[in-house]
Amino acid sequence: MTPIRHRSFVPALAGLLVVASACASSGSLGQVPSEPPTTAPSVAPGPSDETPSIPPSPSASPAGSPAGFPSASPSTPPSAPAGSPSPSTPTETMIIRAYYVLGGNPGVEGLVPTLRVVPKSSGVARAAMTALLDSGRIRDAYAQISSAIPAGTKLLGISIKNGVATIDLSSEFEAGGGSSSGLYRLGQVVYTLTQFSTVRAVLFQVEGRTVTTFGSEGIVLDGPQTRKDFDELMPSIFVDRPAFGAAANNPARITGTANVFEATFRVALLDGSRKVLVDKMTMATCGTGCRGTFDVTLQYDVPKAQWGTLRVYFGSAVDGSPEDMRDYPVWLTPN
């Protein structure tokens, strides 16, 4: 078998979600939706620029909305964020990102960040990996989110030195799936760990053995992996802030990366009735064959807190109609 050198590999996306399910900072904090008195209390914000992801009940989706999108004006406030501690066991917590696979129609749309609440005492990198491996509640809350990491994968060890995180995972991490699944599970780990300023790259180990060829498809890992090594997994417009299902500030600061024609695209916010509140032309630092960063602020007006939609897309060169459009649920608040 000829090894796959993943830097030049273009993954076949079809079927990844089936495989995955079989495998089982900048900006200020936004306002947190009120928590029901019978659930966990509001969590003090950690070292994140956002408030926690608020997974809604899938049954609350309005008619015509994709599964997993929350209702515009829920009759009860959103539930506690994934991983919130029980009220009976108060503990000091922080907010981290865990990156999963976002599915859509058609196919897979790349990685997506979610916010998770974790205990501070466990160490930030270890806590982030523990949250990533515990994907059940996020997957239950959002029908369009999955994990390519096989069920049963265990964290055996993690250390950080000179900007490189060395992570040791159990043999399940390497089992099953094809090249697409393998790339996505590697990308999930790399994106999750490189959110921290102390980590620029990730060196993979399985059962104590440094991995140079990963999985049955022979994905070649040339030393520590960086986010750039997984550009091929990302949608043309990747939103990193706000996270999927998180509360947005008002004004809302939207950041991420993009690789689109002439580096130009649009970012919009819609209210709970799908009315467009603001739609703004945005430019990345690079485009047309290279991935650049973007950072845009959107001022909007809503009469009350509600679930809304963050939409990114670019206009057709022929008639300006929306192309490659992606919608993400966000919690909107009055200014």
Side-chain angles (χ1 to χ4, degrees):
M1 177 183 299
T2 302
I4 297 171
R5 189 171 303 276
H6 89 269
R7 284 180 172 81
S8 60
F9 175 72
V10 179
L13 297 181
L16 172 62
L17 292 182
V18 174
V19 172
S21 60
C23 295
S25 173
S26 57
S28 59
L29 287 163
Q31 299 179 49
V32 182
S34 300
E35 298 287 287
T38 56
T39 66
S42 297
V43 177
S48 169
D49 63 316
E50 296 171 335
T51 55
S53 296
I54 313 292
S57 167
S59 62
S61 300
S65 295
F69 268 63
S71 69
S73 301
S75 57
T76 58
S79 60
S84 292
S86 166
S88 61
T89 57
T91 184
E92 192 174 9
T93 60
M94 58 187 173
I95 302 168
I96 57 88
R97 277 174 162 68
Y99 290 79
Y100 295 102
V101 181
L102 180 63
N105 186 19
V108 174
E109 297 186 2
L111 299 180
V112 64
T114 65
L115 297 186
R116 305 292 297 274
V117 177
V118 298
K120 279 187 176 180
S121 58
S122 60
V124 65
R126 181 176 293 274
M129 278 305 306
T130 300
L132 176 65
L133 297 178
D134 182 18
S135 62
R137 194 169 164 196
I138 287 291
R139 290 186 289 108
D140 290 344
Y142 296 110
Q144 64 269 61
I145 288 181
S146 67
S147 178
I149 299 174
T153 298
K154 300 177 182 64
L155 176 63
L156 303 181
I158 186 168
S159 63
I160 300 173
K161 184 178 181 180
N162 297 329
V164 176
T166 299
I167 183 166
D168 188 8
L169 296 163
S170 63
S171 59
E172 289 87 350
F173 183 65
E174 209 172 10
S179 53
S180 293
S181 176
L183 286 170
Y184 272 98
R185 70 185 70 168
L186 293 167
Q188 284 183 246
V189 173
V190 168
Y191 264 74
T192 296
L193 288 177
T194 55
Q195 71 184 285
F196 307 115
S197 60
T198 54
V199 179
R200 59 174 177 77
V202 178
L203 181 68
F204 286 91
Q205 294 182 341
V206 172
E207 301 286 348
R209 170 185 58 87
T210 297
V211 179
T212 56
T213 304
F214 182 77
S216 60
E217 298 295 322
I219 301 172
V220 175
L221 303 184
D222 294 332
Q225 304 293 292
T226 67
R227 286 193 175 196
K228 187 172 178 59
D229 293 322
F230 297 91
D231 277 354
E232 62 204 25
L233 302 184
M234 309 312 294
S236 59
I237 307 168
F238 167 62
V239 176
D240 201 23
R241 288 174 171 81
F244 194 94
N249 295 335
N250 193 354
R253 189 175 184 184
I254 319 298
T255 69
T257 64
N259 181 358
V260 294
F261 180 66
E262 295 185 341
T264 302
F265 60 99
R266 302 195 72 88
V267 180
L269 285 173
L270 289 68
D271 68 11
S273 65
R274 312 291 282 183
K275 173 187 174 183
V276 176
L277 301 172
V278 58
D279 188 324
K280 186 173 183 178
M281 177 79 74
T282 305
M283 287 196 70
T285 57
C286 186
T288 315
C290 64
R291 183 165 289 273
T293 61
F294 66 87
D295 188 334
V296 60
T297 299
L298 301 181
Q299 181 77 52
Y300 63 93
D301 183 33
V302 290
K304 62 180 180 179
Q306 60 190 277
W307 286 108
T309 301
L310 169 63
R311 173 172 292 172
V312 293
Y313 67 97
F314 57 85
S316 165
V318 177
D319 57 10
S321 59
E323 291 188 354
D324 206 13
M325 185 170 67
R326 288 175 171 82
D327 287 352
Y328 305 92
V330 291
W331 182 254
L332 304 177
T333 54
N335 194 357

